[in-house]
Amino acid sequence: ASWNSETIVFSAAPGTYRLIFQWKSDVSTIANPPAALDEISLTSQAPGNFISVANGNWGNPSTWDANAVPTGVDNAIVDTHTVTIDAVGQAINNLTIRGTLDFGATPTTFNVNGNLTLEAGSEFLVSNAGTIGKAVVVTGNIVNDGNFDVSVGTGTAGSLTLNGSAVQSVTGSGIFVNDVVRNLTFSNTATATPNVIWGFNNVKVANNLNITGARINLNGNKIYFGNNAAGGTFTAPVGTGFINGSFSRWWTTDATG
């Protein structure tokens, strides 16, 4: 008999999981041969901390100091490089950007399961080639001391979603490029009031604005629905809204409401 030694990497949140092993013959015209599993070992590993060491794709191990690809339970720093999100399903826990992070053509969404920090001089381009809008979903806080560009896209493409279950804040000394977020969704589920702390002034939501579940403290700032033209769809169920600031919207000349 011959044996193969295999290593399977399984990345997931802490919990209890059931492992099921299946095998079959590589040739469909014969019966599956006898097989056995022996000497199985399971090793748990704490979330890793990754730092980029070169320009490259997120999914290329050589982009990172660990010569491996970070997962949604790891933390990462995009150092003074340009890193491109290049595949569906890529995600991270806490993310710090010192260089440039952008999107390739294939993925549509990138999840930050913890905090997102843009340091001074950095940029996060939520688009491919500056023309095709993508989506970023953040579960923790955002500190934007750089350039956060969510202005690119048509229709629902190009979006920022805050989906935390604890109070979230969006603060910093940087900018949202052109003072525009193409589509903005506050889906925070924390029961506190407010459950979102917003720290940027005169940001315009060009298309859709959804504040389902959110009670947003604007901290004296103003937010606009519409970018020098009427926006798309504004969703604000009973019990949601803005406090301690100003909310304005653009209307078409024949609009009512």
Side-chain angles (χ1 to χ4, degrees):
S2 61
W3 296 85
N4 291 329
S5 177
E6 304 290 343
T7 299
I8 301 172
V9 178
F10 174 67
S11 299
T16 301
Y17 297 89
R18 182 183 181 190
L19 300 180
I20 300 175
F21 297 92
Q22 294 180 309
W23 58 87
K24 63 175 292 183
S25 170
D26 290 336
V27 181
S28 61
T29 56
I30 64 173
N32 290 329
L37 297 174
D38 193 16
E39 297 184 2
I40 298 174
S41 63
L42 300 177
T43 303
S44 63
Q45 182 174 339
N49 296 299
F50 292 73
I51 302 176
S52 68
V53 293
N55 298 332
N57 287 334
W58 185 279
N60 186 345
S62 64
T63 300
W64 305 101
D65 62 337
N67 196 33
V69 178
T71 71
V73 298
D74 296 314
N75 306 312
I77 296 174
V78 174
D79 211 345
T80 54
H81 307 107
T82 297
V83 175
T84 299
I85 300 161
D86 62 304
V88 173
Q90 291 173 338
I92 198 66
N93 185 36
N94 295 319
L95 174 62
T96 298
I97 304 173
R98 296 172 179 166
T100 298
L101 183 65
D102 63 8
F103 278 77
T106 301
T108 58
T109 304
F110 184 75
N111 285 74
V112 179
N113 299 322
N115 298 325
L116 171 62
T117 302
L118 283 73
E119 295 191 354
S122 70
E123 55 183 2
F124 189 1
L125 310 177
V126 188
S127 64
N128 172 234
T131 58
I132 301 173
K134 303 291 185 173
V136 60
V137 179
V138 180
T139 303
N141 299 320
I142 298 175
V143 177
N144 175 20
D145 291 330
N147 296 327
F148 198 176
D149 191 353
V150 202
S151 67
V152 175
T154 58
T156 58
S159 66
L160 169 62
T161 297
L162 302 179
N163 72 337
S165 57
V167 176
Q168 291 179 268
S169 62
V170 182
T171 59
S173 59
I175 63 169
F176 284 92
V177 173
N178 299 320
D179 291 326
V180 170
V181 175
R182 177 70 193 165
N183 296 277
L184 180 58
T185 297
F186 298 99
S187 55
N188 185 287
T189 58
T191 58
T193 299
N195 56 8
V196 176
I197 312 298
W198 184 263
F200 286 84
N201 194 30
N202 293 324
V203 170
K204 299 178 284 290
V205 180
N207 191 39
N208 293 339
L209 173 60
N210 187 328
I211 63 171
T212 299
R215 295 164 298 282
I216 304 151
N217 183 352
L218 292 176
N219 278 312
N221 296 304
K222 176 180 278 190
I223 194 166
Y224 295 85
F225 176 49
N227 179 23
N228 298 312
T233 300
F234 177 39
T235 304
V238 173
T240 66
F242 300 96
I243 58 176
N244 191 26
S246 300
F247 172 73
S248 298
R249 68 181 298 172
W250 290 84
W251 294 94
T252 57
T253 55
D254 59 349
T256 61

XYZ file of all heavy atoms in Angstrom, residues 143-232:
645
model
N -11.072 54.518 11.223
C -10.288 55.736 11.441
C -9.661 56.075 10.097
O -8.781 55.371 9.600
C -9.203 55.543 12.515
C -8.368 56.812 12.650
C -9.827 55.188 13.854
N -10.133 57.143 9.505
C -9.675 57.537 8.171
C -8.837 58.806 8.262
O -9.371 59.915 8.294
C -10.877 57.753 7.250
C -10.455 58.278 5.878
O -9.298 58.130 5.485
N -11.381 58.881 5.161
N -7.518 58.617 8.289
C -6.589 59.747 8.213
C -5.981 59.861 6.825
O -5.044 60.633 6.617
C -5.469 59.577 9.247
C -5.974 59.720 10.674
O -6.941 60.462 10.889
O -5.398 59.072 11.575
N -6.497 59.075 5.872
C -5.971 59.068 4.507
C -7.024 59.469 3.503
O -7.853 60.355 3.759
N -7.032 58.775 2.365
C -7.986 59.029 1.288
C -8.818 57.765 1.074
O -8.299 56.735 0.616
C -7.275 59.391 -0.020
C -6.493 60.678 0.089
O -6.882 61.591 0.813
N -5.376 60.762 -0.622
N -10.083 57.846 1.399
C -11.001 56.721 1.281
C -11.911 57.025 0.099
O -12.740 57.940 0.149
C -11.796 56.594 2.574
C -12.474 55.265 2.796
C -13.160 55.025 3.986
C -12.444 54.262 1.851
C -13.782 53.815 4.228
C -13.064 53.047 2.067
C -13.733 52.822 3.270
N -11.763 56.262 -0.991
C -12.500 56.558 -2.219
C -13.597 55.525 -2.440
O -13.351 54.413 -2.905
C -11.561 56.595 -3.416
C -12.227 57.164 -4.665
O -13.454 57.403 -4.635
O -11.532 57.381 -5.674
N -14.823 55.912 -2.103
C -15.997 55.089 -2.367
C -16.934 55.855 -3.298
O -18.150 55.680 -3.271
C -16.728 54.719 -1.052
C -17.593 53.469 -1.245
C -15.753 54.464 0.083
N -16.349 56.720 -4.118
C -17.151 57.598 -4.972
C -17.417 57.019 -6.348
O -18.243 57.538 -7.097
C -16.440 58.953 -5.131
O -15.225 58.808 -5.865
N -16.709 55.934 -6.703
C -16.761 55.407 -8.068
C -17.870 54.378 -8.206
O -18.081 53.554 -7.304
C -15.405 54.777 -8.445
C -15.473 54.108 -9.812
C -14.312 55.835 -8.417
N -18.566 54.399 -9.330
C -19.560 53.373 -9.610
C -20.800 53.938 -10.257
O -21.034 55.146 -10.279
N -21.601 53.031 -10.782
C -22.916 53.371 -11.313
C -23.941 52.482 -10.630
O -23.643 51.341 -10.254
C -22.991 53.160 -12.834
O -22.682 51.786 -13.131
C -22.003 54.066 -13.558
N -25.157 52.980 -10.438
C -26.176 52.200 -9.758
C -25.725 51.868 -8.347
O -25.223 52.708 -7.610
N -25.880 50.596 -7.970
C -25.523 50.174 -6.621
C -24.053 49.793 -6.483
O -23.607 49.427 -5.381
C -26.385 48.985 -6.186
O -26.209 47.905 -7.124
C -27.865 49.380 -6.141
N -23.299 49.835 -7.542
C -21.870 49.534 -7.465
C -21.139 50.703 -6.809
O -21.395 51.862 -7.107
C -21.307 49.282 -8.858
N -20.218 50.372 -5.914
C -19.506 51.381 -5.147
C -20.234 51.643 -3.845
O -21.152 52.458 -3.795
N -19.852 50.923 -2.762
C -20.637 51.056 -1.538
C -19.800 50.823 -0.294
O -18.798 50.102 -0.306
C -21.809 50.061 -1.539
O -21.342 48.733 -1.475
N -20.247 51.437 0.794
C -19.702 51.244 2.128
C -20.849 50.810 3.032
O -21.895 51.463 3.065
C -19.088 52.536 2.658
C -18.695 52.564 4.147
C -17.617 51.530 4.447
C -18.234 53.956 4.563
N -20.641 49.702 3.771
C -21.634 49.203 4.714
C -21.006 49.084 6.089
O -19.913 48.525 6.237
C -22.176 47.828 4.273
O -22.847 47.963 3.021
C -23.155 47.275 5.299
N -21.699 49.601 7.101
C -21.308 49.427 8.496
C -22.295 48.440 9.107
O -23.475 48.769 9.282
C -21.346 50.759 9.242
C -20.478 51.892 8.686
C -20.646 53.144 9.525
C -19.018 51.485 8.646
N -21.821 47.246 9.444
C -22.748 46.189 9.870
C -22.407 45.629 11.245
O -22.653 44.455 11.527
C -22.775 45.052 8.841
C -21.503 44.213 8.864
O -20.447 44.683 9.302
N -21.575 42.980 8.393
N -21.854 46.450 12.119
C -21.446 45.971 13.433
C -22.609 45.639 14.341
O -23.756 46.042 14.117
N -22.288 44.889 15.421
C -23.269 44.588 16.454
C -22.974 45.364 17.736
O -23.724 45.249 18.716
C -23.284 43.086 16.749
O -22.002 42.627 17.137
N -21.891 46.138 17.747
C -21.576 47.075 18.826
C -21.514 48.470 18.220
O -21.495 48.637 16.992
C -20.250 46.715 19.487
N -21.486 49.485 19.066
C -21.436 50.869 18.570
C -20.210 51.049 17.681
O -19.099 50.636 18.023
C -21.399 51.860 19.745
C -21.242 53.283 19.241
C -22.667 51.725 20.582
N -20.408 51.662 16.514
C -19.331 51.902 15.561
C -19.076 53.389 15.409
O -20.002 54.202 15.500
C -19.680 51.321 14.184
C -19.700 49.803 14.133
C -20.066 49.294 12.754
O -21.232 49.049 12.461
N -19.063 49.129 11.896
N -17.815 53.735 15.126
C -17.465 55.133 14.872
C -16.723 55.243 13.554
O -15.988 54.335 13.148
C -16.602 55.696 16.001
O -15.379 54.987 16.113
N -16.944 56.362 12.876
C -16.235 56.690 11.633
C -15.626 58.063 11.855
O -16.322 59.085 11.821
C -17.192 56.700 10.424
C -16.418 57.002 9.141
C -17.934 55.374 10.314
N -14.319 58.103 12.115
C -13.652 59.340 12.487
C -12.330 59.453 11.737
O -11.932 58.547 11.005
C -13.372 59.376 14.007
O -12.540 58.250 14.356
C -14.656 59.301 14.807
N -11.633 60.567 11.943
C -10.320 60.743 11.357
C -10.144 62.106 10.738
O -11.086 62.897 10.616
N -8.898 62.379 10.325
C -8.554 63.673 9.740
C -8.404 63.609 8.229
O -8.004 64.594 7.610
C -7.229 64.174 10.356
O -6.180 63.239 10.114
N -8.719 62.469 7.631
C -8.599 62.322 6.184
C -9.854 62.762 5.461
O -10.653 63.549 5.979
N -10.050 62.191 4.265
C -11.189 62.588 3.438
C -11.860 61.368 2.822
O -11.245 60.328 2.632
C -10.786 63.553 2.301
C -9.819 62.864 1.327
C -10.192 64.831 2.848
C -9.582 63.629 0.043
N -13.144 61.512 2.525
C -13.806 60.684 1.539
C -13.631 61.430 0.212
O -14.038 62.593 0.084
C -15.279 60.496 1.867
C -15.519 59.518 2.984
C -15.614 59.960 4.299
C -15.630 58.163 2.723
C -15.824 59.067 5.334
C -15.841 57.259 3.756
C -15.931 57.708 5.070
N -12.995 60.775 -0.754
C -12.628 61.450 -1.995
C -13.860 62.084 -2.634
O -14.925 61.463 -2.740
C -11.953 60.459 -2.960
C -11.715 61.100 -4.324
C -10.619 59.980 -2.373
N -13.722 63.343 -3.036
C -14.800 64.154 -3.617
C -15.947 64.377 -2.631
O -17.020 64.819 -3.035
C -15.352 63.519 -4.903
C -14.309 63.378 -5.975
O -13.478 64.272 -6.173
N -14.313 62.250 -6.681
N -15.724 64.051 -1.343
C -16.780 64.146 -0.325
C -17.984 63.306 -0.693
O -19.128 63.630 -0.323
C -17.216 65.607 -0.112
C -16.144 66.443 0.560
O -15.412 65.889 1.392
O -16.040 67.640 0.236
N -17.748 62.182 -1.404
C -18.849 61.364 -1.910
C -18.676 59.916 -1.468
O -17.587 59.354 -1.533
C -18.936 61.430 -3.452
C -19.908 60.388 -4.000
C -19.356 62.826 -3.898
N -19.781 59.324 -1.019
C -19.902 57.872 -0.894
C -21.022 57.483 -1.852
O -22.152 57.962 -1.724
C -20.240 57.441 0.539
C -20.473 55.937 0.605
C -19.124 57.850 1.500
N -20.722 56.606 -2.799
C -21.695 56.283 -3.840
C -22.978 55.685 -3.237
O -24.085 56.149 -3.490
C -21.060 55.312 -4.831
C -21.978 54.829 -5.932
C -22.320 55.906 -6.928
N -23.426 55.491 -7.777
C -24.123 56.326 -8.540
N -23.834 57.608 -8.551
N -25.115 55.888 -9.277
N -22.830 54.629 -2.438
C -23.953 54.016 -1.718
C -23.506 53.782 -0.278
O -22.422 53.257 -0.042
C -24.362 52.680 -2.351
C -24.885 52.833 -3.765
O -26.049 53.143 -3.985
N -24.005 52.600 -4.748
N -24.355 54.135 0.667
C -23.989 54.028 2.079
C -25.093 53.301 2.835
O -26.262 53.683 2.770
C -23.785 55.420 2.673
C -23.386 55.513 4.148
C -22.100 54.761 4.440
C -23.249 56.988 4.556
N -24.692 52.234 3.564
C -25.651 51.452 4.346
C -25.190 51.383 5.795
O -24.052 50.985 6.070
C -25.791 50.022 3.788
O -26.316 50.082 2.465
C -26.722 49.195 4.662
N -26.066 51.791 6.701
C -25.856 51.616 8.137
C -26.785 50.477 8.582
O -27.983 50.698 8.732
C -26.214 52.885 8.908
C -25.383 54.091 8.566
C -25.858 55.055 7.685
C -24.137 54.281 9.137
C -25.108 56.187 7.385
C -23.376 55.408 8.847
C -23.862 56.361 7.970
N -26.223 49.288 8.790
C -27.056 48.163 9.228
C -26.618 47.678 10.602
O -26.756 46.502 10.930
C -27.005 47.020 8.207
O -25.670 46.613 7.957
N -26.104 48.597 11.411
C -25.655 48.271 12.755
C -26.841 47.779 13.603
O -27.926 48.350 13.555
C -25.019 49.502 13.396
C -24.423 49.223 14.751
O -25.139 49.036 15.714
N -23.105 49.198 14.823
N -26.600 46.711 14.375
C -27.688 46.112 15.142
C -27.600 46.387 16.646
O -28.409 45.855 17.414
C -27.721 44.594 14.923
O -26.462 44.027 15.318
C -27.998 44.260 13.465
N -26.628 47.204 17.078
C -26.526 47.521 18.505
C -27.795 48.254 18.954
O -28.359 49.065 18.217
C -25.291 48.364 18.779
N -28.227 47.998 20.180
C -29.455 48.612 20.676
C -29.224 49.993 21.284
O -30.188 50.686 21.624
C -30.115 47.703 21.725
O -29.185 47.465 22.798
C -30.516 46.369 21.105
N -27.962 50.394 21.424
C -27.651 51.697 22.010
C -28.123 52.827 21.101
O -28.290 52.666 19.891
C -26.148 51.812 22.246
N -28.331 53.979 21.706
C -28.627 55.195 20.946
C -27.669 56.289 21.382
O -27.669 56.664 22.551
C -30.072 55.672 21.178
O -30.981 54.638 20.734
C -30.351 56.953 20.402
N -26.798 56.758 20.470
C -26.647 56.314 19.086
C -25.865 55.011 19.006
O -25.171 54.637 19.947
C -25.860 57.464 18.462
C -24.992 57.961 19.595
C -25.849 57.847 20.822
N -25.960 54.339 17.861
C -25.139 53.147 17.639
C -24.119 53.343 16.521
O -23.334 52.441 16.229
C -25.988 51.901 17.390
C -26.954 52.051 16.234
O -26.917 53.025 15.497
N -27.842 51.070 16.095
N -24.137 54.529 15.914
C -23.096 54.919 14.959
C -22.673 56.346 15.265
O -23.522 57.232 15.425
C -23.580 54.827 13.492
C -22.502 55.348 12.541
C -23.954 53.395 13.130
N -21.370 56.575 15.358
C -20.810 57.908 15.575
C -20.132 58.325 14.277
O -19.163 57.695 13.841
C -19.772 57.911 16.718
C -20.326 57.178 17.953
C -19.351 59.328 17.047
C -21.545 57.796 18.559
N -20.621 59.391 13.660
C -20.141 59.819 12.347
C -19.330 61.100 12.504
O -19.828 62.075 13.072
C -21.309 60.046 11.399
C -20.910 60.408 10.001
C -20.831 61.655 9.461
C -20.527 59.500 8.966
N -20.426 61.590 8.139
C -20.227 60.272 7.815
C -20.402 58.111 8.894
C -19.817 59.696 6.606
C -19.995 57.540 7.689
C -19.711 58.331 6.570
N -18.105 61.128 11.964
C -17.225 62.256 12.214
C -16.785 63.040 10.996
O -15.788 63.776 11.071
N -17.505 62.931 9.869
C -17.099 63.651 8.647
C -18.211 64.589 8.209
O -19.397 64.231 8.248
C -16.745 62.662 7.531
C -15.422 61.975 7.744
C -15.341 60.853 8.549
C -14.264 62.481 7.182
C -14.127 60.234 8.787
C -13.045 61.870 7.402
C -12.972 60.745 8.203
N -17.812 65.775 7.759
C -18.766 66.815 7.401
C -18.951 66.898 5.893
O -18.011 66.686 5.121
C -18.284 68.169 7.940
C -19.369 69.226 7.900
O -20.556 68.920 8.012
N -18.969 70.484 7.736
N -20.179 67.234 5.496
C -20.521 67.524 4.102
C -20.286 66.346 3.161
O -19.947 66.524 1.985
C -19.750 68.746 3.596
C -20.171 70.022 4.290
O -21.357 70.202 4.606
N -19.223 70.909 4.560
N -20.466 65.126 3.667
C -20.384 63.949 2.807
C -21.711 63.789 2.073
O -22.788 63.916 2.661
C -20.049 62.689 3.620
C -20.210 61.428 2.776
C -18.631 62.781 4.167
N -21.607 63.493 0.776
C -22.795 63.345 -0.064
C -22.951 61.875 -0.468
O -21.993 61.254 -0.944
C -22.665 64.230 -1.307
C -22.548 65.722 -0.974
C -22.379 66.578 -2.208
C -20.968 66.508 -2.774
N -19.979 67.187 -1.899
N -24.139 61.346 -0.283
C -24.446 59.980 -0.705
C -25.106 60.084 -2.077
O -26.234 60.559 -2.203
C -25.361 59.267 0.294
C -25.657 57.841 -0.172
C -24.719 59.260 1.678
N -24.398 59.640 -3.106
C -24.836 59.922 -4.471
C -26.038 59.095 -4.902
O -26.877 59.568 -5.670
C -23.677 59.685 -5.438
N -26.134 57.857 -4.429
C -27.215 56.998 -4.909
C -28.110 56.541 -3.765
O -29.001 57.274 -3.356
C -26.644 55.798 -5.681
C -27.722 55.019 -6.415
O -28.646 55.604 -6.975
N -27.613 53.696 -6.420
N -27.863 55.352 -3.203
C -28.761 54.825 -2.176
C -28.207 55.050 -0.767
O -27.021 54.835 -0.510
C -28.986 53.326 -2.380
C -29.767 53.026 -3.654
O -30.469 53.886 -4.180
N -29.630 51.809 -4.156
N -29.096 55.428 0.147
C -28.768 55.592 1.562
C -29.745 54.752 2.364
O -30.953 54.944 2.279
C -28.860 57.061 1.970
C -28.700 57.372 3.467
C -27.344 56.916 3.985
C -28.891 58.872 3.723
N -29.206 53.808 3.146
C -30.037 52.915 3.938
C -29.575 52.981 5.388
O -28.417 52.674 5.687
C -29.917 51.483 3.403
C -30.882 50.510 4.064
O -31.228 50.644 5.228
N -31.314 49.510 3.304
N -30.456 53.406 6.288
C -30.073 53.523 7.699
C -30.894 52.571 8.567
O -31.110 52.822 9.756
C -30.195 54.973 8.206
C -31.633 55.473 8.151
C -29.282 55.894 7.410
C -31.815 56.831 8.843
N -31.311 51.448 7.989
C -32.101 50.475 8.727
C -31.371 50.034 9.998
O -30.254 49.528 9.940
C -32.397 49.251 7.844
O -33.139 49.662 6.699
C -33.184 48.195 8.622
N -32.002 50.233 11.136
C -31.429 49.838 12.418
C -30.497 50.856 13.038
O -30.046 50.673 14.169
N -30.203 51.934 12.342
C -29.164 52.857 12.808
C -29.751 54.132 13.404
O -30.740 54.680 12.907
C -28.228 53.215 11.660
N -29.078 54.589 14.451
C -29.360 55.881 15.066
C -28.018 56.596 15.119
O -27.156 56.262 15.949
C -30.001 55.685 16.448
C -31.386 55.026 16.345
C -31.875 54.466 17.647
N -31.009 53.411 18.171
C -31.009 52.165 17.724
N -31.806 51.807 16.733
N -30.199 51.269 18.270
N -27.841 57.556 14.250
C -26.520 58.069 13.908
C -26.294 59.435 14.521
O -27.048 60.382 14.252
C -26.373 58.144 12.367
C -26.641 56.764 11.752
C -24.998 58.656 11.969
C -27.197 56.815 10.364
N -25.249 59.535 15.313
C -24.837 60.819 15.884
C -23.892 61.480 14.884
O -22.779 61.000 14.650
C -24.135 60.588 17.221
C -23.748 61.890 17.902
O -23.863 62.979 17.328
N -23.270 61.795 19.132
N -24.334 62.587 14.295
C -23.524 63.280 13.296
C -22.476 64.201 13.919
O -21.670 64.788 13.194
C -24.427 64.081 12.361
C -25.335 63.261 11.438
C -26.254 64.186 10.639
C -24.528 62.383 10.496
N -22.487 64.357 15.221
C -21.480 65.189 15.889
C -21.390 66.597 15.307
O -20.301 67.153 15.138
C -20.107 64.520 15.833
C -19.937 63.470 16.905
O -20.233 63.718 18.072
N -19.490 62.286 16.504
N -22.519 67.184 14.989
C -22.548 68.532 14.452
C -22.263 68.619 12.970
O -22.223 69.726 12.399
N -22.064 67.484 12.308
C -21.774 67.480 10.874
C -23.048 67.422 10.046
O -24.137 67.185 10.570
C -20.872 66.281 10.537
C -19.521 66.386 11.219
O -18.806 67.360 11.068
N -19.173 65.356 11.994
N -22.869 67.628 8.737
C -23.987 67.540 7.805
C -23.723 66.403 6.825
O -22.602 66.203 6.368
C -24.174 68.848 7.034
C -25.270 68.786 5.957
C -25.425 70.108 5.213
C -26.289 71.068 6.002
N -26.656 72.267 5.190
N -24.783 65.658 6.503
C -24.718 64.624 5.482
C -25.829 64.884 4.469
O -26.927 65.320 4.835
C -24.834 63.214 6.118
C -24.435 62.133 5.121
C -26.210 62.961 6.699
C -24.204 60.776 5.760
N -25.515 64.672 3.195
C -26.449 64.950 2.107
C -26.880 63.650 1.444
O -26.064 62.760 1.212
C -25.807 65.817 1.025
C -25.430 67.219 1.439
C -24.206 67.470 2.052
C -26.279 68.296 1.177
C -23.841 68.759 2.410
C -25.918 69.587 1.538
C -24.698 69.809 2.148
O -24.327 71.091 2.498
N -28.153 63.579 1.111
C -28.650 62.501 0.264
C -28.805 63.079 -1.139
O -29.696 63.882 -1.401
C -29.979 61.975 0.795
C -30.600 60.924 -0.085
C -29.864 59.844 -0.545
C -31.933 61.018 -0.437
C -30.445 58.883 -1.356
C -32.529 60.061 -1.244
C -31.777 58.988 -1.702
N -27.907 62.665 -2.020
C -27.834 63.233 -3.361
C -26.549 64.015 -3.533
O -26.071 64.649 -2.587
N -25.985 63.960 -4.716
C -24.739 64.655 -5.035
C -25.005 65.661 -6.137
O -24.866 65.365 -7.326
C -23.660 63.648 -5.455
C -22.347 64.307 -5.821
O -22.063 65.426 -5.386
N -21.542 63.632 -6.622
N -25.456 66.838 -5.744
C -25.836 67.886 -6.706
C -26.915 67.404 -7.668
O -27.075 67.934 -8.758
C -24.617 68.376 -7.490
C -23.586 69.010 -6.584
O -23.905 69.842 -5.738
N -22.332 68.611 -6.743
N -27.627 66.383 -7.266
C -28.753 65.831 -8.007
C -29.487 64.915 -7.051
O -28.945 64.515 -6.018
C -28.287 65.051 -9.238
N -30.723 64.558 -7.379
C -31.499 63.684 -6.512
C -30.810 62.340 -6.372
O -30.246 61.796 -7.325
C -32.906 63.509 -7.073
N -30.846 61.776 -5.149
C -30.280 60.461 -4.917
C -31.196 59.365 -5.400
O -32.227 59.605 -6.026
N -30.817 58.117 -5.088
C -31.623 56.975 -5.501
C -32.718 56.686 -4.492
O -33.741 57.351 -4.467
